[in-house]
Amino acid sequence: DILSPGQYDTVYNSLSLVIAAQLFTAVFLLIALPRILPRYRQAITVAIIVCGIAAYHYFRIFDSFREAFVTEAAGGQGDYAQAAGAGFNEGYRYVDWLLTVPLLLVELIAVLALARSVQRGLLVRLVPAAALMILLGYPGEISGDNGIRGLFGLLSTIPFAYILYVLFVQLTKSLNKQPVGVRRILSQLRWLLLLSWGVYPIAYLLPMLNLEGADAWVFKQVGYSIADILAKAVYALIIFRVARIKSFDDD
Amino acid sequence: DILSPGQYDTVYNSLSLVIAAQLFTAVFLLIALPRILPRYRQAITVAIIVCGIAAYHYFRIFDSFREAFVTEAAGGQGDYAQAAGAGFNEGYRYVDWLLTVPLLLVELIAVLALARSVQRGLLVRLVPAAALMILLGYPGEISGDNGIRGLFGLLSTIPFAYILYVLFVQLTKSLNKQPVGVRRILSQLRWLLLLSWGVYPIAYLLPMLNLEGADAWVFKQVGYSIADILAKAVYALIIFRVARIKSFDDD
Ligand SMILES: CC1=C(/C=C/C(C)=C/C=C/C(C)=C/C=O)C(C)(C)CCC1
Ligand SMILES: CC1=C(/C=C/C(C)=C/C=C/C(C)=C/C=O)C(C)(C)CCC1
């Protein structure tokens, strides 16, 4: 693909925005950690790790992007073509998700501070399902063939549906045992999760809808960037709010 | 060897995954350290150091890989050949192991919090044996000759067998003195150790079985990556869990 200077800058700025958002959410939470009761620190610690891992991968994605597209024009005011010898590595995203998606679920369950056995029961279902979802998506993503892409997309949707089932059906009774003040926030959090996670399978579908070319690609990168900020940084801040409110209540 | 774009990306992503896993396990443990009783902090501190050393070496391995394989094709969509003037340095791994393998054993013994004399007795046997195992493997690894490889592989297996003997026979009576809640976890940990450590001598054998070429090489790099995550990061998290449970019990 050939990117216009405006398209190049848009992707560049979005990727940099994600680095800043993830890195400083992590730093904020690190500084704020002592203000949380020890019981909820596990959730916030996991949130810090998730945002840190995301920042690391976005540094790499950013570098990969800068190496992959080049222009000869003075002042960068010309079209950007794909560089010789360096591709934009979309696979990084899957590496990131393999680590962070299970951890996002751990973060949610940890802040609920449920009874040990309930917690264990939820985690042994959610964590392997999340890892499986990502692992099944990867072969479809790197394959150039739409049939293979469709097949693995479908397989990956099974654990995805299962995760949503556990979160929206099985978790609901535990939510009713949460303090009143956080119940509404937690239910909003679930919707944020659904909304932001939904972006990824949609982006995965784009090549199958023949929505390719520079515009679709730029749109996808910006879409991923926004979804990643919502699904990790904003999500972490809401989890932090829940932990703060519960820390007050328990005191 | 010539790598296809898919093979190149797979190695690239695996190496990057290991960096993220080791680095953020270290960060996680560092943040969580104060939640452990002082008595178990030595074990977690050593775990942080091990994951940190591994992250450092994987940064180097990653850079070495990126310099060693190059393509001229636009967008990186062509085969990757070995670069002039830059080889992939497999020897890094032995440097890493020389430091981390003895420390992994120290980590395990430290979390058991045995009587001083028992602890000393185990360490003076395990640590030199681990160092010897790695030192003896190195001449075989860098030699191009299968006879020398076999000889040093055999010599290196003697301390390896001795370590397993100490862990699985001599350590067993100490395990029975551990609190009930952690006994099962500790025995799982030993199996994780056996399983993940076993990967390294098997990878060492591959050239002697004439399993060479690009596919075998990619398989080996991915195998090392998974084994390194299991043997250091996952291992550290299980040690952390043991330390947490024991901290509660002692409180
Ligand atoms: C269902 C489905 C997928 C789901 C991906 C999801 C749900 C990813 C979530 C990522 C997150 C939350 C990242 C964090 O910021 C894939 C793998 C694209 C493959 C196609 C089918
Ligand atoms: C027995 C044997 C070996 C054992 C290596 C081991 C056991 C390495 C462990 C490495 C670890 C645990 C790394 C940490 O992640 C060598 C040296 C390959 C040489 C051949 C014989």
Side-chain angles (χ1 to χ4, degrees), chain A residues 209-220:
Chain A
L209 305 172
N210 279 320
L211 283 172
E212 289 205 87
D215 267 337
W217 188 82
V218 170
F219 183 74
K220 187 168 99 173

Side-chain angles (χ1 to χ4, degrees), chain B:
Chain B
D1 291 356
I2 304 280
L3 300 181
S4 73
Q7 289 177 324
Y8 179 87
D9 284 353
T10 302
V11 174
Y12 190 105
N13 291 333
S14 307
L15 297 178
S16 178
L17 173 66
V18 182
I19 295 180
Q22 307 286 7
L23 191 61
F24 289 97
T25 303
V27 173
F28 170 80
L29 294 175
L30 199 57
I31 299 175
L33 191 63
R35 283 191 286 141
I36 298 290
L37 282 192
R39 176 172 336 155
Y40 304 111
R41 286 197 194 147
Q42 179 74 354
I44 306 304
T45 306
V46 175
I48 295 169
I49 297 304
V50 168
C51 293
I53 294 176
Y56 165 76
H57 283 109
Y58 264 87
F59 273 114
R60 286 236 180 274
I61 293 174
F62 186 79
D63 284 347
S64 172
F65 171 71
R66 297 219 329 172
E67 280 175 22
F69 292 91
V70 288
T71 183
E72 289 301 310
Q77 289 309 307
D79 284 347
Y80 286 76
Q82 295 206 282
F88 182 61
N89 182 353
E90 200 74 288
Y92 273 138
R93 297 192 180 279
Y94 282 77
V95 179
D96 178 76
W97 299 345
L98 186 60
L99 295 169
T100 56
V101 175
L103 289 176
L104 286 170
L105 294 167
V106 171
E107 205 179 311
L108 174 63
I109 302 302
V111 86
L112 297 178
L114 305 169
R116 272 210 170 281
S117 62
V118 182
Q119 172 161 339
R120 247 191 81 82
L122 287 165
L123 288 179
V124 296
R125 274 175 272 175
L126 290 172
V127 169
L132 198 66
M133 170 179 81
I134 305 303
L135 287 173
L136 285 172
Y138 185 69
E141 175 72 41
I142 58 165
S143 144
D145 184 277
N146 268 344
I148 296 183
R149 199 181 184 88
L151 174 67
F152 280 98
L154 217 62
L155 290 176
S156 166
T157 305
I158 300 170
F160 184 47
Y162 180 68
I163 292 170
L164 295 182
Y165 165 75
V166 173
L167 289 183
F168 280 84
V169 181
Q170 304 210 324
L171 196 66
T172 304
K173 27 185 188 314
S174 304
L175 286 196
N176 294 334
K177 292 199 202 93
Q178 296 290 312
V180 196
V182 300
R183 252 182 247 165
R184 226 195 32 179
I185 307 178
L186 284 169
S187 111
Q188 285 168 354
L189 189 68
R190 276 199 307 195
W191 286 104
L192 173 76
L193 187 149
L194 183 63
L195 192 88
S196 56
W197 289 33
V199 169
Y200 303 92
I202 293 171
Y204 183 90
L205 281 178
L206 292 182
M208 301 174 66
L209 304 172
N210 278 321
L211 284 172
E212 289 204 87
D215 266 336
W217 189 81
V218 170
F219 183 75
K220 188 170 98 173
Q221 297 307 323
V222 175
Y224 271 148
S225 300
I226 297 171
D228 280 352
I229 292 176
L230 292 176
K232 297 196 184 106
V234 174
Y235 183 85
L237 293 174
I238 298 177
I239 297 257
F240 176 72
R241 216 166 124 228
V242 172
R244 280 278 288 166
I245 296 176
K246 289 176 102 181
S247 294
F248 279 127
D249 283 0
D250 294 4
D251 243 1

Side-chain angles (χ1 to χ4, degrees), chain A:
Chain A
D1 291 356
I2 305 280
L3 300 182
S4 72
Q7 289 177 323
Y8 180 87
D9 285 354
T10 303
V11 174
Y12 187 104
N13 292 332
S14 309
L15 297 178
S16 177
L17 173 65
V18 182
I19 295 179
Q22 308 286 8
L23 191 61
F24 289 97
T25 302
V27 173
F28 169 78
L29 294 175
L30 197 58
I31 299 175
L33 191 62
R35 283 191 286 141
I36 298 289
L37 282 193
R39 173 171 339 155
Y40 305 111
R41 284 195 196 149
Q42 178 76 353
I44 306 304
T45 307
V46 175
I48 295 168
I49 296 304
V50 167
C51 293
I53 294 176
Y56 164 78
H57 283 109
Y58 264 87
F59 274 114
R60 286 237 182 272
I61 291 172
F62 186 78
D63 284 347
S64 174
F65 173 71
R66 297 217 331 170
E67 281 176 20
F69 291 92
V70 288
T71 183
E72 291 299 313
Q77 290 311 307
D79 283 348
Y80 285 77
Q82 294 204 283
F88 181 62
N89 181 350
E90 199 75 276
Y92 271 140
R93 297 193 180 278
Y94 282 76
V95 178
D96 178 75
W97 299 345
L98 186 61
L99 296 170
T100 56
V101 175
L103 289 176
L104 286 169
L105 295 167
V106 171
E107 204 180 311
L108 175 61
I109 302 301
V111 86
L112 298 179
L114 305 169
R116 270 211 171 279
S117 64
V118 181
Q119 173 161 337
R120 247 191 83 82
L122 287 165
L123 287 180
V124 295
R125 275 175 270 175
L126 290 172
V127 169
L132 197 67
M133 171 178 81
I134 305 304
L135 288 173
L136 286 172
Y138 185 70
E141 177 71 39
I142 58 164
S143 145
D145 184 278
N146 268 344
I148 295 182
R149 199 182 184 87
L151 175 67
F152 280 99
L154 216 62
L155 289 176
S156 166
T157 305
I158 300 170
F160 185 47
Y162 180 69
I163 293 171
L164 295 181
Y165 165 74
V166 173
L167 289 183
F168 281 84
V169 179
Q170 304 209 324
L171 196 67
T172 303
K173 23 186 191 310
S174 303
L175 285 195
N176 294 334
K177 290 197 204 96
Q178 296 290 312
V180 196
V182 299
R183 251 182 246 166
R184 227 195 32 180
I185 306 178
L186 284 170
S187 111
Q188 285 168 355
L189 189 67
R190 277 198 308 196
W191 287 104
L192 172 74
L193 186 150
L194 182 63
L195 192 86
S196 57
W197 290 34
V199 169
Y200 303 93
I202 294 172
Y204 183 90
L205 281 178
L206 293 182
M208 301 175 67
L209 305 172
N210 279 320
L211 283 172
E212 289 205 87
D215 267 337
W217 188 82
V218 170
F219 183 74
K220 187 168 99 173
Q221 296 308 322
V222 175
Y224 272 147
S225 300
I226 297 170
D228 279 352
I229 293 176
L230 292 176
K232 297 196 185 106
V234 174
Y235 183 86
L237 293 174
I238 298 177
I239 297 258
F240 176 71
R241 218 168 121 226
V242 171
R244 281 280 288 167
I245 296 175
K246 289 176 104 180
S247 294
F248 279 129
D249 283 1
D250 294 3
D251 242 2

